[in-house]
CSV table of all heavy atoms in Angstrom, one decimal:
chain,number,residue,atom,x,y,z
A,75,ASP,N,-26.6,-5.8,-1.4
A,75,ASP,CA,-26.3,-6.2,0.0
A,75,ASP,C,-25.1,-7.2,0.0
A,75,ASP,O,-25.3,-8.3,-0.4
A,75,ASP,CB,-27.6,-6.9,0.6
A,75,ASP,CG,-27.3,-7.4,2.0
A,75,ASP,OD1,-26.2,-7.2,2.5
A,75,ASP,OD2,-28.3,-7.9,2.6
A,76,GLY,N,-24.0,-6.7,0.4
A,76,GLY,CA,-22.8,-7.6,0.4
A,76,GLY,C,-21.5,-6.8,0.3
A,76,GLY,O,-21.5,-5.6,0.3
A,77,PHE,N,-20.4,-7.5,0.1
A,77,PHE,CA,-19.1,-6.9,-0.1
A,77,PHE,C,-18.9,-6.7,-1.6
A,77,PHE,O,-19.1,-7.6,-2.4
A,77,PHE,CB,-18.0,-7.8,0.5
A,77,PHE,CG,-18.2,-8.2,1.9
A,77,PHE,CD1,-18.5,-9.5,2.3
A,77,PHE,CD2,-18.1,-7.2,2.9
A,77,PHE,CE1,-18.7,-9.8,3.6
A,77,PHE,CE2,-18.3,-7.5,4.2
A,77,PHE,CZ,-18.6,-8.8,4.6
A,117,TYR,N,-27.8,-9.0,-9.0
A,117,TYR,CA,-26.8,-9.0,-7.9
A,117,TYR,C,-26.4,-10.4,-7.6
A,117,TYR,O,-27.0,-11.1,-6.7
A,117,TYR,CB,-27.3,-8.3,-6.7
A,117,TYR,CG,-27.6,-6.8,-6.9
A,117,TYR,CD1,-28.8,-6.3,-7.1
A,117,TYR,CD2,-26.5,-5.9,-7.0
A,117,TYR,CE1,-29.1,-5.0,-7.4
A,117,TYR,CE2,-26.7,-4.6,-7.3
A,117,TYR,CZ,-28.0,-4.1,-7.5
A,117,TYR,OH,-28.2,-2.8,-7.7
A,119,ASP,N,-24.0,-13.2,-6.2
A,119,ASP,CA,-22.9,-13.4,-5.2
A,119,ASP,C,-21.8,-14.2,-5.9
A,119,ASP,O,-22.1,-15.0,-6.8
A,119,ASP,CB,-23.4,-14.1,-3.9
A,119,ASP,CG,-24.3,-13.1,-3.1
A,119,ASP,OD1,-24.2,-11.9,-3.3
A,119,ASP,OD2,-25.1,-13.7,-2.3
A,147,ASN,N,-33.6,-9.2,0.4
A,147,ASN,CA,-32.3,-9.4,-0.2
A,147,ASN,C,-31.2,-9.9,0.7
A,147,ASN,O,-30.1,-10.1,0.3
A,147,ASN,CB,-31.8,-8.1,-1.0
A,147,ASN,CG,-30.5,-8.3,-1.8
A,147,ASN,OD1,-30.2,-9.4,-2.1
A,147,ASN,ND2,-29.8,-7.3,-2.0
A,148,ASP,N,-31.5,-10.0,2.0
A,148,ASP,CA,-30.5,-10.4,3.0
A,148,ASP,C,-30.3,-11.9,3.0
A,148,ASP,O,-30.6,-12.6,3.9
A,148,ASP,CB,-30.9,-9.9,4.4
A,148,ASP,CG,-29.7,-9.9,5.4
A,148,ASP,OD1,-28.6,-10.2,4.9
A,148,ASP,OD2,-29.9,-9.8,6.6
A,149,ILE,N,-29.9,-12.4,1.8
A,149,ILE,CA,-29.9,-13.8,1.5
A,149,ILE,C,-28.5,-14.2,0.9
A,149,ILE,O,-28.0,-13.4,0.1
A,149,ILE,CB,-31.0,-14.1,0.5
A,149,ILE,CG1,-32.3,-13.7,1.1
A,149,ILE,CG2,-30.9,-15.6,0.0
A,149,ILE,CD1,-33.4,-14.7,1.2
A,150,ASN,N,-28.0,-15.4,1.3
A,150,ASN,CA,-26.8,-15.9,0.6
A,150,ASN,C,-27.2,-16.5,-0.7
A,150,ASN,O,-27.8,-17.6,-0.7
A,150,ASN,CB,-26.2,-16.9,1.6
A,150,ASN,CG,-24.9,-17.5,1.0
A,150,ASN,OD1,-24.6,-17.2,-0.2
A,150,ASN,ND2,-24.3,-18.4,1.7
A,151,TRP,N,-27.0,-15.8,-1.8
A,151,TRP,CA,-27.4,-16.3,-3.1
A,151,TRP,C,-26.5,-17.5,-3.6
A,151,TRP,O,-26.7,-17.9,-4.7
A,151,TRP,CB,-27.5,-15.2,-4.1
A,151,TRP,CG,-28.5,-14.2,-3.7
A,151,TRP,CD1,-28.3,-13.0,-3.1
A,151,TRP,CD2,-29.9,-14.3,-3.8
A,151,TRP,NE1,-29.5,-12.4,-2.8
A,151,TRP,CE2,-30.5,-13.2,-3.2
A,151,TRP,CE3,-30.8,-15.4,-4.2
A,151,TRP,CZ2,-31.9,-13.0,-3.1
A,151,TRP,CZ3,-32.1,-15.2,-4.2
A,151,TRP,CH2,-32.7,-14.0,-3.6
A,160,PHE,N,-20.1,-17.6,0.8
A,160,PHE,CA,-20.3,-16.3,0.2
A,160,PHE,C,-19.0,-15.5,0.3
A,160,PHE,O,-18.4,-15.3,1.4
A,160,PHE,CB,-21.4,-15.6,0.8
A,160,PHE,CG,-21.4,-14.1,0.6
A,160,PHE,CD1,-21.7,-13.6,-0.7
A,160,PHE,CD2,-21.1,-13.2,1.6
A,160,PHE,CE1,-21.7,-12.2,-0.9
A,160,PHE,CE2,-21.1,-11.9,1.4
A,160,PHE,CZ,-21.4,-11.4,0.1
A,162,CYS,N,-18.3,-12.3,-2.2
A,162,CYS,CA,-18.6,-10.9,-2.5
A,162,CYS,C,-19.8,-10.8,-3.5
A,162,CYS,O,-20.3,-11.9,-3.9
A,162,CYS,CB,-17.4,-10.2,-3.1
A,162,CYS,SG,-16.8,-10.8,-4.6
A,163,THR,N,-20.2,-9.6,-3.8
A,163,THR,CA,-21.4,-9.5,-4.6
A,163,THR,C,-21.1,-8.6,-5.9
A,163,THR,O,-20.4,-7.6,-5.7
A,163,THR,CB,-22.6,-8.8,-3.8
A,163,THR,OG1,-22.8,-9.5,-2.6
A,163,THR,CG2,-23.9,-8.8,-4.6
B,201,ABN,N1,-26.2,-11.5,-0.8
B,201,ABN,C1,-25.2,-11.3,0.2
B,201,ABN,C2,-25.4,-12.0,1.5
B,201,ABN,C3,-24.7,-13.2,1.8
B,201,ABN,C4,-24.9,-13.8,3.0
B,201,ABN,C5,-25.8,-13.4,3.9
B,201,ABN,C6,-26.5,-12.2,3.6
B,201,ABN,C7,-26.3,-11.5,2.4
Side-chain angles (χ1 to χ4, degrees):
D75 176 359
F77 305 112
Y117 295 102
D119 287 339
N147 187 24
D148 193 12
I149 300 239
N150 179 358
W151 297 103
F160 161 70
C162 62
T163 307

